[in-house]
Amino acid sequence: MFPTPIEKLSSSVNISYRVAIWIALLLWLLPMAAVLLTSARSVADINAGNYWGIPSEWMIIENYLQVFQATPMAKYLMNSILITVPAVAGAVALSTLAGYSLAKFKFKGSIALFATFIAGNFVPFQILMIPVRDLTIDMGLYDSATGLILFHIAFQTGFCTLFMRNFIIALPDELIEAARVEGVSEWKIFWHVVLPLVRPALAALSVLIFTFIWNDYFWALVLVQSDEVRPITAGISALKGQWLASWQLISAGSIIAALPPVVLFFAMQKHFIAGLTLGATKG
């Protein structure tokens, strides 16, 4: 029996889909593969112009050890942790509280307030560079971890509030009303009823915001200038100026910088996918 035209079309689409997936994967991973190979090359290999071929001498252990011994990479890594973790916790906590109030409380101006959160997400952050920098200087927060933490919390809270509000508004009002009838305080309702139900959303949001803040380069460059505070993204850029010929160290540092978000994603993969899937079913 010969295939019908619809079956032929379906087969062609299936083949095109599979080919497109492999092409996209190759284009996506090619730069990462180049950086990974460079991090394993010797200085002689790089000076000889071998940028894309297989390293003539594998220096994986030596390069990754040297990047911690010859550069302030450990300090940069710790700075990123000390900045990212509090910023993620602050943004997620504030946005969950704000999302709960916008979703389950009726008060005058709630729609305008929610619209403000949405509108803030469409403001190009680059145009705020000068006022934000001047504000941090006036407040004595320039070149400090506290300044970067407060900045990231402020700028991420808008998106996080929109994200959490859309999850919380879909929770059955009957659950909250039943708890209120029983005399349960709003804080206990939030802590014991709302939070357990939105746990997948919290996990998904935490992974996303951790990645955004960890990988931030623009504001780390604008608001920080010393190695004592500089996070790892800006630190790698500083390595380019201090060790101009040591591309193997810069590449090794880049791989190290990329590991924490990847590890966090795989550690919370189940909750992350559950949160995104749950969000896809919300009306």
Side-chain angles (χ1 to χ4, degrees):
M1 182 177 181
F2 295 102
T4 64
I6 295 179
E7 290 175 340
K8 289 182 178 180
L9 178 61
S10 176
S11 177
S12 299
V13 170
N14 190 32
I15 294 174
S16 301
Y17 168 78
R18 293 177 182 275
V19 172
I21 285 291
W22 284 106
I23 293 175
L25 183 63
L26 178 63
L27 293 176
W28 179 264
L29 294 180
L30 191 59
M32 180 64 70
V35 174
L36 187 61
L37 286 174
T38 302
S39 70
R41 299 185 194 279
S42 63
V43 176
D45 215 21
I46 295 175
N47 292 338
N50 184 13
Y51 302 119
W52 291 94
I54 301 299
S56 59
E57 182 182 3
W58 293 92
M59 301 285 291
I60 299 177
I61 297 177
E62 294 84 351
N63 288 344
Y64 280 87
L65 287 177
Q66 190 179 3
V67 77
F68 285 101
Q69 296 170 354
T71 75
M73 184 57 61
K75 181 64 177 177
Y76 296 151
L77 192 62
M78 182 57 63
N79 288 343
S80 284
I81 294 173
L82 294 177
I83 291 169
T84 304
V85 173
V88 171
V92 172
L94 287 176
S95 63
T96 305
L97 288 168
Y100 175 57
S101 64
L102 289 172
K104 296 303 181 182
F105 288 88
K106 306 299 181 183
F107 56 92
K108 187 176 181 180
S110 60
I111 296 178
L113 183 59
F114 180 56
T116 302
F117 278 108
I118 296 177
N121 292 309
F122 295 96
V123 177
F125 60 84
Q126 292 89 347
I127 67 174
L128 302 176
M129 177 181 69
I130 294 177
V132 168
R133 183 178 182 275
D134 291 343
L135 179 63
T136 56
I137 292 175
D138 293 340
M139 296 178 63
L141 296 175
Y142 181 74
D143 196 29
S144 69
T146 302
L148 264 181
I149 291 170
L150 293 177
F151 166 81
H152 284 305
I153 291 176
F155 269 68
Q156 297 295 340
T157 297
F159 168 76
C160 294
T161 299
L162 173 63
F163 188 94
M164 292 307 303
R165 184 259 185 192
N166 290 339
F167 277 93
I168 296 174
I169 199 172
L171 298 180
D173 293 334
E174 292 78 7
L175 290 175
I176 297 175
E177 292 300 330
R180 288 171 178 167
V181 169
E182 294 296 327
V184 181
S185 66
E186 291 295 336
W187 174 252
K188 288 185 177 180
I189 292 174
F190 173 77
W191 189 261
H192 295 289
V193 177
V194 174
L195 283 185
L197 294 176
V198 297
R199 191 175 300 166
L202 291 174
L205 183 61
S206 297
V207 173
L208 287 175
I209 299 304
F210 183 94
T211 303
F212 294 159
I213 297 176
W214 183 274
N215 292 330
D216 170 68
Y217 173 73
F218 182 82
W219 292 110
L221 193 64
V222 171
L223 302 180
V224 171
Q225 66 177 2
S226 67
D227 283 343
E228 292 301 315
V229 184
R230 184 176 284 131
I232 197 166
T233 48
I236 293 173
S237 178
L239 295 184
K240 183 179 178 181
Q242 297 176 37
W243 292 274
L244 186 59
S246 300
W247 288 107
Q248 75 281 7
L249 299 186
I250 297 173
S251 298
S254 300
I255 296 297
I256 293 170
L259 285 178
V262 174
V263 171
L264 179 64
F265 170 77
F266 282 107
M268 302 185 68
Q269 182 179 9
K270 178 181 178 180
H271 301 287
F272 179 78
I273 295 176
L276 296 185
T277 304
L278 181 64
T281 64
K282 301 301 180 183

